[in-house]
Amino acid sequence: MTHRVLMCEPVHYRIDYEINPWMRRSNRVDGARALAQWRRLRERIEDLGVTVDLIQQAPEAPDMTFTANAGVVLGDRFIPSNFRFEERQQEEDHFIRWFRQARYTVETIHLPHYWEGEGDVLPAGDQVFAGYRYRTEYRALDHLEEVLGRYLVRVELADERFYHLDTCFAPLGEGHAMYVPEAFTADGREHIERHFDDLIAVGPEESLRFACNALVVDREVVMNTGCPETVRALRERGYEAVESATDEFIKAGGSVKCLTLMLDAFGPVVET
């Protein structure tokens, strides 16, 4: 689904604060191991023919390595996030500066409505799914629809461990997707089930290894290690799992998809 992503080498990645159920200051990050995991992930993504653009991490922004949360890219336009928590708001200017230097047009969502980019907004063919509740405000999606020029399929999250949509939902293409059923309200599940022909329901153990927090590259699914049932389900449907360890990043509540912002995934604008 993507062939170009933005990543941020985690040279200043650490846990300085606690803004989701995964983060504990007492659970220290092994910096050298995190850097090795990130570099291996980058290699695996590039081996699939994906171009990786890089943004330098600011020392005061330990979560900046989770680039998916920076915003959404639509052609030559970048719509930056309005982060909910003050601890991450300082990332916004760094991402805006990078995209402006790369000659993108920057269009913002009205404050004070918060939303957190590709963490909660994911394309699926000619549709776009948007999660809301914990990090993205419902009303922010009204303006985002105007900016994107398309209707958003809105799904409400129901488990704070899956605080972003991309932690519990992954469109695979061709009518397939992975999801964690318990991470959504009944209405949210109904929306997802209505829009896909075939769904892989990820079980509790592998959902907590962020099996759904995956990057899809054609028929290859780059994902965390230790999810054998999900890998089997993917292979049964003609997909191949490319496993890459992200345990150090799960300490902060992120995995493969959180570490990548897709720069080419949104298709042409469809009139609403």
Side-chain angles (χ1 to χ4, degrees):
M1 294 181 60
T2 185
H3 293 90
R4 186 181 174 200
V5 299
L6 178 66
M7 298 183 70
C8 178
E9 191 171 41
V11 291
H12 302 294
Y13 168 58
R14 58 195 183 275
I15 299 177
D16 281 352
Y17 43 78
E18 300 175 6
I19 59 173
N20 68 53
W22 300 87
M23 302 179 84
R24 299 193 308 276
R25 284 186 290 266
S26 60
N27 191 20
R28 296 176 62 87
V29 168
D30 183 331
R33 189 165 183 264
L35 190 58
Q37 287 185 349
W38 182 92
R39 288 175 174 168
R40 180 57 176 152
L41 174 63
R42 176 186 174 182
E43 288 175 358
R44 293 196 169 201
I45 290 172
E46 289 180 326
D47 286 346
L48 297 177
V50 176
T51 299
V52 175
D53 290 0
L54 296 174
I55 182 172
Q56 185 174 358
Q57 185 172 24
E60 72 278 10
D63 279 345
M64 193 172 164
T65 192
F66 298 116
T67 53
N69 308 144
V72 162
V73 177
L74 182 67
D76 61 356
R77 300 156 62 202
F78 173 60
I79 301 94
S81 295
N82 296 333
F83 283 102
R84 177 176 183 178
F85 290 105
E86 182 179 357
E87 289 87 347
R88 296 203 66 182
Q89 290 170 4
Q90 56 196 324
E91 298 176 28
E92 295 170 13
D93 287 342
H94 295 290
F95 283 110
I96 289 172
R97 186 179 307 113
W98 187 91
F99 277 96
R100 281 182 171 153
Q101 291 175 348
R103 301 184 181 278
Y104 286 80
T105 299
V106 176
E107 302 178 36
T108 58
I109 300 299
H110 297 316
L111 289 170
H113 303 307
Y114 53 84
W115 81 290
E116 298 198 354
E118 238 176 45
D120 275 326
V121 180
L122 293 171
D126 60 358
Q127 297 174 324
V128 180
F129 285 77
Y132 66 93
R133 183 175 181 177
Y134 298 110
R135 296 297 190 87
T136 291
E137 186 180 1
Y138 190 90
R139 290 187 63 188
L141 299 176
D142 294 337
H143 188 196
L144 185 61
E145 280 188 336
E146 296 174 13
V147 174
L148 293 180
R150 62 189 66 197
Y151 168 75
L152 300 176
V153 181
R154 306 185 192 197
V155 291
E156 185 175 7
L157 302 173
D159 185 331
E160 63 180 356
R161 294 173 301 176
F162 305 104
Y163 57 95
H164 278 148
L165 180 64
D166 69 359
T167 65
C168 53
F169 172 69
L172 300 171
E174 300 179 0
H176 303 283
M178 301 189 294
Y179 80 134
V180 180
E182 297 78 15
F184 300 91
T185 63
D187 185 66
R189 287 195 300 273
E190 183 182 345
H191 279 301
I192 290 173
E193 291 163 0
R194 184 190 314 139
H195 283 86
F196 291 92
D197 299 323
D198 177 57
L199 285 165
I200 297 173
V202 176
E205 183 176 345
E206 295 186 8
S207 71
L208 296 179
R209 291 195 60 77
F210 281 0
C212 288
N213 196 242
L215 181 71
V216 181
V217 182
D218 299 322
R219 305 291 292 187
E220 310 285 345
V221 181
V222 189
M223 60 186 295
N224 186 31
T225 56
C227 302
E229 293 300 322
T230 305
V231 169
R232 185 177 302 110
L234 287 167
R235 287 176 176 165
E236 288 173 354
R237 292 160 174 81
Y239 294 91
E240 189 62 35
V242 179
E243 299 177 84
S244 194
T246 58
D247 299 84
E248 288 299 320
F249 299 96
I250 288 178
K251 291 178 179 179
S255 186
V256 172
K257 180 62 195 71
C258 292
L259 294 165
T260 53
L261 173 65
M262 298 183 290
L263 299 177
D264 61 352
F266 284 84
V269 172
V270 176
E271 294 297 329
T272 60

